[in-house]
Amino acid sequence: MKGTLMQSVVRPVLLAALLAAGASVFARGVLYVARPAIALSVSERTAARQQRVEFTVTLPDGKTTTATAEPQAGGERAGTVHYPSDFGNAGTRIGNYTWSARIAGKEVQAGRFAFRAAPDGQLLFVPN
């Protein structure tokens, strides 16, 4: 019983890790490629309307790239941007990244993430 429970937990986690690492998977004759990505969203809990949020990501080489999250549902919900797809000159290189969120020019949140090489050569997303 213990081995069965462990297998049922490990297999989905392993599959999710492989997909997140950019592994290619064949399913019913279709090639599916998953790439590492991060969704960024900031909301003001007490605000009647959510505001536009500008996100800046600093790449490992020190260059920066920006994207703007527009409020959704008439301002009722915060917008979301995805790194790297919503950032024009972005990439997924191995290294450490930082991000900051600004509303009306004022920094309201910041964070970090990284991309690391896996032993099998795939790229892993590592939240910090």
Side-chain angles (χ1 to χ4, degrees), residues 13 28 67 75 84:
V13 171
R28 299 184 188 170

Side-chain angles (χ1 to χ4, degrees), residues 19-52:
L19 289 175
S24 298
V25 178
F26 285 97
R28 299 184 188 170
V30 176
L31 176 64
Y32 177 77
V33 177
R35 303 212 187 280
I38 181 172
L40 298 169
S41 183
V42 172
S43 65
E44 295 182 77
R45 291 184 184 190
T46 59
R49 295 264 183 231
Q50 297 300 314
Q51 302 211 12
R52 170 187 291 188

Side-chain angles (χ1 to χ4, degrees), residues 2-128:
K2 197 176 209 180
T4 305
L5 177 60
M6 182 62 135
Q7 288 175 345
S8 67
V9 171
V10 170
R11 286 183 184 152
V13 171
L14 180 59
L15 178 58
L18 288 173
L19 289 175
S24 298
V25 178
F26 285 97
R28 299 184 188 170
V30 176
L31 176 64
Y32 177 77
V33 177
R35 303 212 187 280
I38 181 172
L40 298 169
S41 183
V42 172
S43 65
E44 295 182 77
R45 291 184 184 190
T46 59
R49 295 264 183 231
Q50 297 300 314
Q51 302 211 12
R52 170 187 291 188
V53 181
E54 182 180 85
F55 288 93
T56 301
V57 174
T58 303
L59 287 67
D61 63 5
K63 293 180 182 176
T64 60
T65 183
T66 61
T68 302
E70 297 291 337
Q72 302 296 307
E76 292 179 19
R77 292 190 323 251
T80 301
V81 292
H82 298 88
Y83 185 87
S85 61
D86 291 332
F87 291 78
N89 59 339
T92 51
R93 295 176 211 75
I94 293 172
N96 298 315
Y97 295 71
T98 59
W99 62 268
S100 67
R102 295 184 177 279
I103 296 176
K106 180 183 175 191
E107 185 174 278
V108 295
Q109 188 74 35
R112 302 176 310 191
F113 61 94
F115 289 108
R116 302 281 185 246
D120 63 359
Q122 298 295 324
L123 193 61
L124 297 174
F125 167 74
V126 181
N128 291 336

